Amino acid sequence: SEFAIRQADTMKSLRLLLVALAVVTAVLADHHEPTHDEIIDQLVESANKATHAVFEFEHKLDLRLDPARIARAGSLRARVQAVEEPSCPEHAHQCGEDDPQCISDLFVCDGIKDCRNGDDEKHCELPTKAGDTFVGDLVFDHCTKRRPDHMTLVIESVTTPAYFTSVPELHVHIEVEKETDSEEIEASLPAEGIFSFAEDKLIVYPPEDDGLGLVGTFDGYNVDRFVGDIIHTASRETCARFIFHRKH
Amino acid sequence: SFGYLWQRQVSTIAISVTMWYVLLLVGLAAAATDPYKERGFKYIVSNQKLHINQLLEELHELEEKFEKLSPDVDPKDVRHIRARIHSLEHDECPRHQGQCGGDVPQCINDLLFCDGHKDCRNGRDEDPEVCSEAVTHVGSSYTGLATWSSCEESRPHNAVVTITASQRKDFFPARIWVRAVLSFEIDEHTHRITTIPLRGYYNFGRRALVLGPERGQKAIYGVRCHFDLGDDDHATCHIVNPASLHECGHFTATRY
């Protein structure tokens, strides 16, 4: 019987051992130590999340600084300024609203700062560079010879004399196409012109002997659009209008 | 029995020693092979985590600073400003013509707006925004503080124009024919209210609601409202004499 008791005892101890082993395995399984790969994956994931947050913030900043948005706001301001009484006399340029000052048109973009805030030398990039093409859509027309629905202005070349940079000289072509029932008219008229930085104006001298010139007015902010008025150069009377857009 | 007890104790100790030995083995197996390498790895990982957290904290600070800057302008306000500039600008359209809007200005007769045919070169005369019927939805109410310049001897008080019926004829969709009532307070002490039944139409091209006296009613007042603030919810309204269109009073109306 003593043997039986000892056997039972051993069995009991073995059972205890098994239970202990089971507990140890359970505890080990519970505290599953992440492997190195998993730790690195977690690290990479949190780095990606941080990068995403940074990009999102950067996007928010970019939305505020969007140049297209600034140009749109500027165009709106230009419309208000057009409604207002002119704040400078004729042939004078307004330096800017935070520090209003009038200087002669001839001093704008001449390479020397004349405004206290330097505004006259800040916006001197020519919107009509050699090779640029603008397509104009008809608004009204009481005077042109061909009465076209569209006209195209091609800037052939630009010459800026080094000693007089405020009024670059342009050589352009005005292309006109018109289809009528009886005939198809096509014309490419070479002409000379100037760009005035002070007024943001493009002036094309009459290409033909009818005395009709083109005056293109940019709003000062949007470089892709201008209002093109056909005027009698003698009377300065506007008799036709086209809205020109840059052809990309 | 003492011998039995002793024997039992020894076997228990032996078993527990075996147990601890097994435990140690399991523990060693669980731990990585090289404890120094493991510690180095954990060191690098925790430093990287700290670095990322620091960056996030810096970002959070920047975001907080950004939040303190003035918020973006409500697009509605921009639309109102645009509309107000537009109404100040010289509108070249002659009488009975509407502006196509868009980039290339063009005027077409206001009878051609929203008739199903594109008459503007840019098609704006059939644009769903231009042809929105929201203004004349039945129950639409436009109210504002009316100031009288003639016709009525009273202090400024609220005036309300409410659309009570509207109809758009299939064969002539350029107008929406409406019935409406104009009400305003005529005595601020007794709160007596005048209600004048009106009928008229909405003109898409000019964005105008034109109302005259209802059939069989005394021709006292008419109302002309211009929805010229860029949306369907704000209008400049004039209370007029229906025959001469002489202005009696005006109010800036808001839909409510």
Side-chain angles (χ1 to χ4, degrees), chain B residues 156-170:
Chain B
H157 54 74
N158 273 316
V160 185
V161 174
T162 307
I163 310 281
T164 55
S166 73
Q167 189 194 15
R168 195 173 178 183
K169 292 182 170 120
D170 291 337

Side-chain angles (χ1 to χ4, degrees), chain A residues 2 5-6 9-10 12-14 16-17 20-21 24 28 33 35-37 39-40 42-43 46-47 49-50 53-54 57 60-61 64 69 72-73 76-77 79-80 83 137-140 225 241 243-245, chain B residues 4 7-8 11-12 15 18-19 22-23 26-27 30 32 37-38 41-42 44-45 48-49 52 55-56 59 62-63 66-67 69-73 78 81-82 85-86 88-89 92 102-106 121:
Chain A
E2 200 181 306
I5 290 170
R6 258 168 70 184
D9 234 24
T10 321
K12 211 167 143 192
S13 307
L14 268 174
L16 207 76
L17 182 69
L21 264 176
V24 164
L28 274 179
E33 277 275 315
T35 65
H36 285 193
D37 284 349
I39 292 173
I40 288 169
Q42 278 173 12
L43 207 60
S46 56
K49 267 187 195 161
V54 170
F57 183 59
K60 257 201 262 178
L61 288 180
R64 289 285 183 100
R69 178 192 156 113
R72 275 204 304 276
L76 204 58
R77 187 191 297 155
R79 279 169 65 185
V80 175
V83 172
D137 298 315
L138 172 78
V139 179
F140 61 86
R225 174 189 188 268
R241 178 169 293 164
I243 306 290
F244 285 83
H245 288 101
Chain B
Y4 162 69
Q7 211 172 16
R8 202 171 128 173
S11 69
T12 320
I15 285 165
T18 327
M19 217 168 79
V22 169
L23 271 180
V26 170
K37 221 176 175 179
E38 178 66 19
F41 174 74
K42 278 190 176 154
I44 293 169
V45 166
Q48 295 299 326
K49 272 185 192 163
I52 290 172
L55 285 176
L56 282 176
L59 178 70
L62 281 177
E63 275 174 333
F66 184 76
E67 292 303 322
L69 298 175
S70 57
D72 209 346
V73 199
V78 179
I81 287 172
R82 269 181 200 287
I85 295 172
H86 180 78
L88 286 175
E89 278 170 346
E92 280 143 6
D103 204 39
V104 182
Q106 188 193 355
R121 280 188 297 263

Side-chain angles (χ1 to χ4, degrees), chain B residues 212-234:
Chain B
E214 176 65 282
R215 205 173 294 162
Q217 295 282 328
K218 247 200 261 172
I220 319 170
Y221 292 125
V223 176
R224 298 164 68 89
C225 288
H226 261 102
F227 290 80
D228 55 357
L229 282 168
D231 59 25
D232 295 334
D233 300 334
H234 297 85

Side-chain angles (χ1 to χ4, degrees), chain B residues 138-150:
Chain B
V138 172
S140 293
S141 227
Y142 304 97
T143 179
L145 201 63
T147 316
W148 295 86
S149 45
S150 61

Side-chain angles (χ1 to χ4, degrees), chain A residues 204-245:
Chain A
V204 178
Y205 301 126
E208 292 174 291
D209 55 6
D210 53 7
L212 293 178
L214 171 72
V215 177
T217 313
F218 285 86
D219 69 5
Y221 299 90
N222 185 352
V223 293
D224 294 331
R225 174 189 188 268
F226 67 84
V227 179
D229 285 346
I230 310 277
I231 59 161
H232 289 290
T233 43
S235 63
R236 286 212 197 167
E237 189 195 336
T238 299
C239 59
R241 178 169 293 164
F242 291 79
I243 306 290
F244 285 83
H245 288 101

Side-chain angles (χ1 to χ4, degrees), chain B:
Chain B
S1 77
F2 178 78
Y4 162 69
L5 266 179
W6 183 82
Q7 211 172 16
R8 202 171 128 173
Q9 225 168 336
V10 165
S11 69
T12 320
I13 289 168
I15 285 165
S16 54
V17 164
T18 327
M19 217 168 79
W20 285 118
Y21 183 66
V22 169
L23 271 180
L24 186 72
L25 272 183
V26 170
L28 273 178
T33 41
D34 190 344
Y36 291 108
K37 221 176 175 179
E38 178 66 19
R39 219 187 287 166
F41 174 74
K42 278 190 176 154
Y43 179 74
I44 293 169
V45 166
S46 60
N47 275 340
Q48 295 299 326
K49 272 185 192 163
L50 277 177
H51 193 61
I52 290 172
N53 283 342
Q54 200 198 335
L55 285 176
L56 282 176
E57 232 166 74
E58 277 173 30
L59 178 70
H60 192 67
E61 265 172 42
L62 281 177
E63 275 174 333
E64 259 177 15
K65 271 186 198 165
F66 184 76
E67 292 303 322
K68 276 182 196 147
L69 298 175
S70 57
D72 209 346
V73 199
D74 190 354
K76 226 181 188 174
D77 293 342
V78 179
R79 225 174 31 224
H80 278 191
I81 287 172
R82 269 181 200 287
R84 283 170 63 185
I85 295 172
H86 180 78
S87 61
L88 286 175
E89 278 170 346
H90 184 53
D91 193 354
E92 280 143 6
C93 291
R95 250 172 93 80
H96 301 303
Q97 296 212 354
Q99 176 63 255
C100 287
D103 204 39
V104 182
Q106 188 193 355
C107 300
I108 62 165
N109 194 301
D110 62 26
L111 289 170
L112 301 175
F113 275 86
C114 307
D115 61 351
H117 296 276
K118 277 188 185 171
D119 300 289
C120 287
R121 280 188 297 263
N122 58 11
R124 275 274 294 175
D125 61 323
E126 302 300 325
D127 188 281
E129 207 177 295
V130 171
C131 298
S132 156
E133 293 181 10
V135 165
T136 60
H137 280 171
V138 172
S140 293
S141 227
Y142 304 97
T143 179
L145 201 63
T147 316
W148 295 86
S149 45
S150 61
C151 311
E152 201 80 32
E153 193 186 15
S154 80
R155 295 216 187 122
H157 54 74
N158 273 316
V160 185
V161 174
T162 307
I163 310 281
T164 55
S166 73
Q167 189 194 15
R168 195 173 178 183
K169 292 182 170 120
D170 291 337
F171 57 87
F172 185 52
R175 296 277 186 274
I176 300 181
W177 305 96
V178 296
R179 277 169 208 282
V181 283
L182 165 72
S183 340
F184 54 86
E185 214 170 58
I186 45 171
D187 190 338
E188 57 181 307
H189 299 296
T190 57
H191 295 293
R192 212 149 61 79
I193 282 172
T194 307
T195 304
I196 300 162
L198 303 169
R199 61 174 188 150
Y201 60 86
Y202 176 66
N203 179 335
F204 291 103
R206 306 180 68 80
R207 291 188 62 75
L209 185 65
V210 183
L211 301 166
E214 176 65 282
R215 205 173 294 162
Q217 295 282 328
K218 247 200 261 172
I220 319 170
Y221 292 125
V223 176
R224 298 164 68 89
C225 288
H226 261 102
F227 290 80
D228 55 357
L229 282 168
D231 59 25
D232 295 334
D233 300 334
H234 297 85
T236 319
C237 293
H238 298 275
I239 301 170
V240 295
N241 178 306
S244 62
L245 301 182
H246 170 78
E247 185 183 311
C248 293
H250 68 90
F251 61 102
T252 304
T254 312
R255 175 201 289 269
Y256 88 106

